[in-house]
Amino acid sequence: MHALSPTRPPRVSKALSRRIDRLSRAAHRFHRFAHHPLCDRYAAEVFHVSRRGRLCKGCTLTLGGALLGAALAPVFRLGALPALAVVALGVALAVVSLLRPVSKWLGRFVPALAATFVATRGLAAGDTSGVAFALVVLALATVLFLLYRRRGPNRSPCSSCPERDRSPCSGYLPIVRRERALLRITRPLLAPDRL
């Protein structure tokens, strides 16, 4: 029998750990890939893929743009100046999206498509200048991503929300309910006499 200690967590068997992980994934499946409040004010920020399944619009469009850019790269060839123009367009749209809210299609999809397309073309060229250009594009994309992460999410709908002082608000209430239900199930499994 283990005593629960605030400084040393109890040992949990691998089987129990896997069971709790499965329960957690099932509990949070409906919002796992939509890291936004689930209220009407944020409805434009998510894609509804099923009755309860949601995907973050920005992340989905970024991934979609990157995949499309990689798929189109073997099909279309660009000279140095058009490739530079594509990169400049992608960077400009990404910078604008950092400074003010813009459509996710312009702020996420187009920059991801441009960066991946040009980087893939450069790497496929196989020569030193193509690879160097691809590395510069990937470095720019990394810097823009880090600036986006540093800025943090746009929470402007929350600042004007009548529920802003309510905790949890209706946007997070379904998530909190699932978390409480998960705790009710897992708490007995983690009781000291069960470990």
Side-chain angles (χ1 to χ4, degrees):
M1 202 146 106
H2 294 83
L4 288 177
S5 164
T7 57
R8 189 171 163 192
R11 290 199 168 189
V12 178
S13 71
K14 286 185 181 181
L16 178 57
S17 178
R18 282 192 297 268
R19 181 177 178 196
I20 291 171
D21 285 345
R22 279 193 307 273
L23 289 168
S24 178
R25 280 192 299 275
H28 296 290
R29 188 173 291 131
F30 74 102
H31 74 96
R32 172 180 250 172
F33 298 109
H35 37 256
H36 295 284
L38 304 176
C39 60
D40 292 341
R41 290 168 198 85
Y42 275 93
E45 298 295 320
V46 297
F47 289 125
H48 292 265
V49 294
S50 67
R51 186 173 68 88
R52 290 187 53 92
R54 298 168 179 92
L55 296 173
C56 169
K57 186 185 251 183
C59 294
T60 303
L61 290 176
T62 300
L63 179 61
L67 292 174
L68 185 61
L72 292 176
V75 178
F76 296 101
R77 296 186 185 277
L78 287 181
L81 284 177
L84 195 57
V86 168
V87 170
L89 173 68
V91 169
L93 288 172
V95 168
V96 167
S97 76
L98 287 171
L99 300 175
R100 56 187 288 281
V102 296
S103 161
K104 298 283 192 260
W105 287 96
L106 289 176
R108 304 290 194 287
F109 183 80
V110 173
L113 182 132
T116 308
F117 175 82
V118 173
T120 305
R121 284 292 318 147
L123 292 173
D127 60 2
T128 308
S129 61
V131 172
F133 192 65
L135 292 176
V136 168
V137 169
L138 294 174
L140 273 171
T142 301
V143 167
L144 289 167
F145 174 75
L146 293 173
L147 288 172
Y148 169 75
R149 295 290 294 176
R150 185 173 180 195
R151 183 202 70 183
N154 176 9
R155 298 279 189 223
S156 56
C158 289
S159 62
S160 62
C161 178
E163 297 180 31
R164 69 182 167 276
D165 296 326
R166 187 172 139 198
S167 181
C169 67
S170 61
Y172 286 113
L173 192 57
I175 299 167
V176 170
R177 284 183 181 149
R178 284 293 181 102
E179 191 62 31
R180 287 177 182 158
L182 178 66
L183 286 174
R184 281 193 300 272
I185 294 169
T186 57
R187 196 172 283 135
L189 298 174
L190 294 170
D193 58 337
R194 299 281 300 266
L195 297 176

